[in-house]
Amino acid sequence: MISLVKRNISLYLTDKAGVILSLLGAFVAVFLVMGFLRTALVSSLVDGFGGLVTQQEAGHLLDTWLIASASVIASATTGLGALAFYIRDRESSMWRDFLITPLRRWSITAGYLIAAAIISVFMTFIVYALGTAYCLVTQAPLSWSGVVEGWGWLMLCCLSFTCLMGFVVSLLKTFNAYTALSIIVGVMFGFLAETYVTTAMLRASLADVLAGLPFAQASALVRQPYTSAVIASLPVEAQQATIEAMGISLSVGTTPVTTTWSVITLVGVALMCAVGSWLMMARSVQR
């Protein structure tokens, strides 16, 4: 099984197009926000607080918020990208070669999921580290304890979303379907995680729906510690309103989405989808 994990990781890293495609969601989010939405978002923050928040403070807030959000997107899309070889092996009947080895079916499927989780952690770390370096260069306030805590939540995101993507991929039969799914997930995840649009830009009913899903909850988990130093530097009158408007804290109606609830949701997704994907993959291998 360890050999199979190494094989899947090696195949992923040597496929440069696949690596870029798996980072598509994070790239799109950064490109859209920095290229088209940054000026509008910064101006709305400054105008919304009547000058209490300066252009520089709003810019630092948006930068840290975006890095946290893009890292969450990467935790999902890179795990999905690493599962490409599951589909290729299924389509090419490569499993027939694996089945003549002493490997059991559960270890074959585990080899794909473990490799995808490792790749997700590694690639997300790169995105997170580069984003943190950018924030340091632009002199955005960062709390190192917050950076470390944010990384801890990202590891949970990597595990949870890799299991989720594993279950979705286990339902596919062709590589063309997988490619279409990758493009859709890369684009849609930014919306579901409230990255392309902030909570303040959404209708209350839609904001409540997104807040009840694990994607926005994962983003909030990472945003809270990562943006804590920037939020603390804002005027007291603007802090809570900013936290709510930027999706740093979530609520469904009048009920706040707590950290405990978000963790339970992500762990639940990881457990259910891990079992589901393992059962579906094992069934496919048997066929």
Side-chain angles (χ1 to χ4, degrees):
M1 187 179 69
I2 294 175
S3 297
L4 186 58
V5 169
K6 291 179 179 179
R7 174 253 188 190
N8 292 334
I9 293 175
S10 177
L11 288 175
Y12 171 83
L13 295 177
T14 54
D15 183 8
K16 295 181 177 60
V19 172
I20 293 174
L21 182 63
S22 69
L23 292 170
L24 177 64
F27 287 159
V28 169
V30 173
F31 177 74
L32 284 178
V33 175
M34 298 300 289
F36 297 97
L37 303 176
R38 193 179 194 279
T39 302
L41 288 172
V42 169
S43 298
S44 66
L45 286 172
V46 174
D47 296 340
F49 292 110
L52 287 175
V53 178
T54 66
Q55 288 273 349
Q56 185 181 44
E57 290 173 333
H60 288 330
L61 172 63
L62 186 62
D63 289 341
T64 54
W65 175 85
L66 177 60
I67 295 307
S69 303
S71 298
V72 173
I73 295 174
S75 71
T77 58
T78 53
L80 176 61
L83 290 165
F85 294 97
Y86 165 81
I87 293 295
R88 288 181 178 175
D89 289 346
R90 178 176 183 175
E91 195 172 36
S92 64
S93 299
M94 181 68 73
W95 282 335
R96 294 179 181 177
D97 296 337
F98 297 152
L99 290 174
I100 65 173
T101 70
L103 285 173
R104 295 186 178 183
R105 290 187 176 89
W106 71 265
S107 61
I108 295 176
T109 57
Y112 291 105
L113 293 175
I114 292 173
I118 292 173
I119 289 170
S120 178
V121 170
F122 176 71
M123 297 301 293
T124 301
F125 175 77
I126 292 177
V127 173
Y128 193 63
L130 290 175
T132 300
Y134 170 79
C135 290
L136 292 175
V137 170
T138 58
Q139 298 183 339
L142 285 177
S143 163
W144 285 110
S145 61
V147 172
V148 174
E149 182 181 347
W151 172 242
W153 293 129
L154 277 173
M155 292 189 69
L156 175 60
C157 294
C158 291
L159 175 62
S160 181
F161 293 137
T162 296
C163 292
L164 174 61
M165 296 306 165
F167 177 71
V168 175
V169 168
S170 69
L171 303 176
L172 305 179
K173 294 182 179 180
T174 65
F175 193 76
N176 288 336
Y178 167 82
T179 302
L181 175 68
S182 299
I183 296 173
I184 293 172
V185 169
V187 175
M188 285 298 297
F189 204 92
F191 174 75
L192 295 174
E194 296 188 6
T195 302
Y196 301 154
V197 290
T198 62
T199 302
M201 299 168 64
L202 299 170
R203 291 183 179 180
S205 57
L206 181 56
D208 289 343
V209 171
L210 294 182
L213 299 177
F215 317 107
Q217 293 178 20
S219 292
L221 279 177
V222 181
R223 289 170 184 163
Q224 287 171 9
Y226 199 77
T227 62
S228 60
V230 179
I231 295 295
S233 68
L234 300 179
V236 177
E237 312 89 81
Q239 291 181 7
Q240 187 58 38
T242 301
I243 289 173
E244 295 174 357
M246 299 296 289
I248 298 172
S249 69
L250 302 173
S251 61
V252 179
T254 58
T255 304
V257 178
T258 63
T259 298
T260 302
W261 177 251
S262 297
V263 171
I264 291 174
T265 300
L266 290 174
V267 171
V269 168
L271 292 176
M272 289 188 295
C273 291
V275 173
S277 59
W278 176 77
L279 290 174
M280 292 299 296
M281 286 182 179
R283 183 182 179 187
S284 299
V285 172
Q286 187 175 10
R287 289 178 178 176

